[in-house]
Amino acid sequence: MCRTLSAFPTTCLERAKEFKTRLGIFLHKSELGSDTGNMVKFEPGSKHSKESRNFSEDVLGWRESFDLLLSSKNGVAAFHAFLKTEFSEENLEFWLACEEFKKIRSAAKLTSRAQRIFEEFVRREAPKEVNIDHETRELTRTNLQATTATCFDVAQGKTRTLMEKDSYPRFLKSPAYQDLAAQASTALAAPCSCSPAEPLHT
């Protein structure tokens, strides 16, 4: 017998659709620029119970550690959507750009991409200037004189620490994530085993 929140629809299929819709609403504004690699997109589980369960576990995993959040495509998309509400999405976009930068194998591409990242995120009054200290900014500028895959490591690390200590706790306390986590917990605690004709019990 299904046990779920009274606000959920009256069939298991409708409940799953409602859960997916709410997650989609939370994430629909999450669109990252081309410099972060492929656009991060919301990837909810399908109607199949195993995939839905995996997605619920993914959602709950975001609160276990910042590493788990960053390793989840949906987690990154959700966190980015939250940061946009605080007008601080540049920190995550810079971190993602650095992750993609490290994968480049061509020396020529490495140099050109490094300059683009510096101009967009690191230099003073950059369009998406990240919050780093003057010493780190100048160190990064110096590193670009002999570009390597690690030239942004210090700046990326400080930006990550800032997000983990500042934005991440607020994300976990946000009403949007709290609602997501509550629904994910319900889905895991009370997996649907009823037929659409059966009524739900709260």
Side-chain angles (χ1 to χ4, degrees):
M1 193 70 70
C2 281
R3 291 178 294 113
T4 184
L5 299 176
S6 59
F8 278 9
T10 56
T11 71
C12 295
L13 179 58
E14 288 175 356
R15 185 184 72 178
K17 288 181 178 179
E18 172 70 10
F19 187 39
K20 180 177 178 180
T21 298
R22 288 195 179 206
L23 292 168
I25 290 172
F26 178 53
L27 302 177
H28 81 285
K29 292 183 179 179
S30 183
E31 297 181 352
L32 304 184
S34 59
D35 281 340
T36 62
N38 293 330
M39 183 180 293
V40 177
K41 294 182 179 180
F42 171 51
E43 298 179 354
S46 71
K47 296 176 184 177
H48 301 293
S49 59
K50 183 177 180 180
E51 292 184 24
S52 296
R53 183 176 182 84
N54 288 342
F55 184 74
S56 295
E57 291 173 346
D58 186 31
V59 169
L60 295 179
W62 303 345
R63 65 189 180 191
E64 297 301 317
S65 76
F66 193 47
D67 285 330
L68 284 177
L69 175 69
L70 292 179
S71 66
S72 163
K73 288 185 178 180
N74 289 322
V76 168
F79 189 47
H80 183 256
F82 169 75
L83 291 177
K84 288 182 75 172
T85 68
E86 296 196 333
F87 306 100
S88 60
E89 67 269 23
E90 70 278 353
N91 293 320
L92 179 60
E93 292 179 13
F94 172 64
W95 186 87
L96 290 168
C98 290
E99 288 297 288
E100 291 300 314
F101 173 75
K102 293 174 186 177
K103 299 175 184 177
I104 298 174
R105 293 293 174 261
S106 165
K109 288 183 179 180
L110 200 69
T111 300
S112 62
R113 182 65 63 83
Q115 193 60 42
R116 285 172 58 191
I117 292 174
F118 184 86
E119 288 298 317
E120 184 172 7
F121 297 103
V122 182
R123 69 173 174 81
R124 270 293 180 192
E125 299 184 1
K128 298 181 179 180
E129 183 181 351
V130 293
N131 186 11
I132 55 176
D133 57 84
H134 175 73
E135 289 75 13
T136 301
R137 199 182 311 278
E138 291 308 306
L139 172 63
T140 305
R141 187 192 304 277
T142 300
N143 288 344
L144 261 61
Q145 295 176 10
T147 309
T148 67
T150 63
C151 65
F152 291 107
D153 279 6
V154 175
Q156 183 189 19
K158 292 197 173 184
T159 301
R160 184 194 184 285
T161 298
L162 178 64
M163 289 191 293
E164 183 173 18
K165 292 184 177 180
D166 186 41
S167 304
Y168 174 57
R170 289 200 302 277
F171 166 73
L172 296 181
K173 294 176 182 177
S174 67
Y177 178 71
Q178 290 290 316
D179 184 52
L180 250 66
Q183 293 181 64
S185 295
T186 299
L188 290 175
C192 186
S193 59
C194 66
S195 66
E198 281 189 273
L200 296 177
H201 296 276
T202 58

